[in-house]
């Protein structure tokens, strides 16, 4: 059997570099991405190959896809948590955390081999309880499409710009909304891939609160601990769960 290939986005630091290092240790050929050439050293130090990637750029995603070719594992780890709360923050946060994961997955999905695994590095902040019951029903609808989900998330940006987001049931956190979207996307992909002969499993992981630039120095978990559930999902055996949300290798509710 040929060596399995994994792509890990945002692999130059934090949880991403820990995921890349562990997948290398498990025998995979890992392509770790960073937006800046400065990220190359950390990725190579983890034993992975480096590729530049800005998840907000179609051209950048296109270059990654044509250079990588076929793969077995995709870990959508790249993410941002910006300060402030306005329409620009909402747009940029969604563009990285939600549309970034969507852009990369859409482009790499055709190249995923039999038994492929997609892992969305999400967050407890993405729990559906973050939004109103009416929005919750829309996000968790079993017929929600990617096009409808994009419109729903774009309406958050419009509502923030108009100052009506609270009245319409949104939280005052762009990060939360981006991860609610990512979790909904996980369920949509799992549903879409149900009849796919490649038997691809798509799941979301909550890494817990982790000591990284995003999590801060006071977080209780190390990046290695944060990487554990994403790595477990990346290496799930055949017949494993799909469309689920996991924390400490256990299913949790959305
Ligand atoms: P870090 O801030 O340490 O790392 C974030 C990574 O994402 C960096 O590699 C960063 O690259 C990359 N990134 C940001 N924007 C882009 C972009 N446009 N294109 C490509 N890469 C990008 O955060 P963590 O390691 O803590 O976070 C990793 C994931 O875990 C995120 O999705 C986060 O939401 C999630 N998470 C983290 C928690 C925590 O407590 N730390 C808790 C729950 C979830 P660069 O170095 O260039 O900025």
């Amino acid at each position: 059997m040929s060596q399995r290939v994994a792509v890990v986005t945002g692999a130059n630091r934090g949880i991403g570099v820990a995921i890349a290092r562990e997948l290398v240790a498990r025998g995979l050929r890992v392509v770790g991405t960073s937006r800046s050439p400065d990220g190359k050293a950390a990725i190579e130090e983890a034993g992975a190959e480096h590729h530049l990637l800005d998840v907000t750029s179609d051209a950048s995603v296109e270059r990654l896809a044509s250079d990588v070719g076929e793969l077995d594992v995709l870990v959508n780890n790249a993410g941002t948590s910006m300060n402030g709360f306005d329409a620009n923050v909402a747009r940029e946060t969604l563009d990285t955390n939600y549309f970034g994961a969507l852009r990369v997955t859409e482009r790499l999905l055709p190249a995923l081999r039999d038994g492929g695994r997609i892992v969305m590095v999400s967050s407890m902040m993405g729990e559906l309880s973050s939004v109103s019951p009416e929005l919750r029903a829309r996000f968790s609808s079993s017929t929600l499409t990617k096009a409808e989900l994009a419109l729903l998330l774009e309406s958050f940006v419009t509502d923030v710009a108009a100052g009506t987001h609270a009245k319409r049931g949104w939280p005052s956190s762009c990060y939360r909304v981006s991860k609610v979207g990512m979790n909904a996307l996980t369920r949509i992909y799992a549903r879409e891939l149900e009849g796919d002969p490649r038997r691809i499993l798509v799941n979301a992981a909550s890494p817990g609160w982790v000591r990284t630039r995003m999590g801060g120095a006071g977080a209780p978990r190390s990046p290695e601990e944060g990487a554990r559930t994403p790595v477990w999902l990346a290496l799930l055996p055949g017949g494993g769960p799909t469309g689920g949300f996991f924390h400490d290798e256990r299913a949790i509710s959305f």
Side-chain angles (χ1 to χ4, degrees):
M1 213 172 103
S2 62
Q3 191 181 23
R4 278 178 298 167
V5 177
V7 168
V8 181
T9 67
N12 53 303
R13 60 184 165 98
I15 298 168
V17 75
I19 294 172
R21 188 178 295 113
E22 185 60 23
L23 290 177
V24 168
R26 305 285 190 100
L28 280 80
R29 181 187 145 221
V30 178
V31 178
T33 77
S34 72
R35 319 185 250 199
S36 152
D38 298 346
K40 188 171 191 274
I43 288 169
E44 290 184 348
E45 186 274 326
E49 292 164 35
H50 173 254
H51 202 289
L52 282 174
L53 173 71
D54 180 344
V55 300
T56 65
S57 157
D58 287 333
S60 179
V61 173
E62 185 58 42
R63 276 192 295 277
L64 174 76
S66 47
D67 290 349
V68 168
E70 291 193 332
L71 72 160
D72 303 280
V73 172
L74 168 61
V75 183
N76 285 300
N77 167 78
T80 185
S81 174
M82 297 169 67
N83 291 325
F85 183 76
D86 60 28
N88 283 333
V89 171
R91 198 173 295 112
E92 283 184 38
T93 304
L94 289 177
D95 202 23
T96 300
N97 295 4
Y98 175 78
F99 290 103
L102 174 71
R103 209 174 266 119
V104 174
T105 308
E106 284 292 288
R107 188 59 189 80
L108 293 188
L109 190 50
L112 265 184
R113 288 194 276 238
D114 196 15
R117 303 285 180 261
I118 300 171
V119 182
M120 303 288 189
V121 181
S122 186
S123 165
M124 292 287 199
M125 299 273 193
E127 283 182 337
L128 280 165
S129 57
S130 299
V131 298
S132 68
E134 196 246 320
L135 286 171
R136 213 172 297 162
R138 294 178 69 187
F139 275 109
S140 57
S141 162
S142 61
T143 59
L144 184 71
T145 63
K146 280 179 278 192
E148 288 165 345
L149 179 54
L151 285 177
L152 189 53
L153 292 169
E154 279 156 16
S155 76
F156 169 65
V157 180
T158 313
D159 289 342
V160 172
T164 54
H165 74 279
K167 202 171 76 190
R168 293 191 193 263
W170 298 105
S172 296
S173 162
C174 305
Y175 183 79
R176 277 185 185 276
V177 173
S178 71
K179 296 296 188 182
V180 170
M182 185 180 228
N183 286 352
L185 184 64
T186 304
R187 295 189 290 271
I188 293 174
Y189 273 128
R191 189 170 9 104
E192 282 184 357
L193 288 164
E194 252 166 31
D196 193 289
R198 294 173 293 169
R199 298 165 298 153
I200 294 168
L201 304 177
V202 191
N203 290 290
S206 150
W209 185 19
V210 181
R211 284 188 300 279
T212 63
R213 204 173 299 170
M214 185 185 293
R221 292 189 169 196
S222 66
E224 290 68 33
E225 288 169 309
R228 203 167 289 157
T229 297
V231 166
W232 175 72
L233 290 172
L235 302 176
L236 277 179
T242 191
F245 188 24
F246 294 86
H247 178 75
D248 288 343
E249 303 180 11
R250 291 213 177 92
I252 54 174
S253 70
F254 281 103

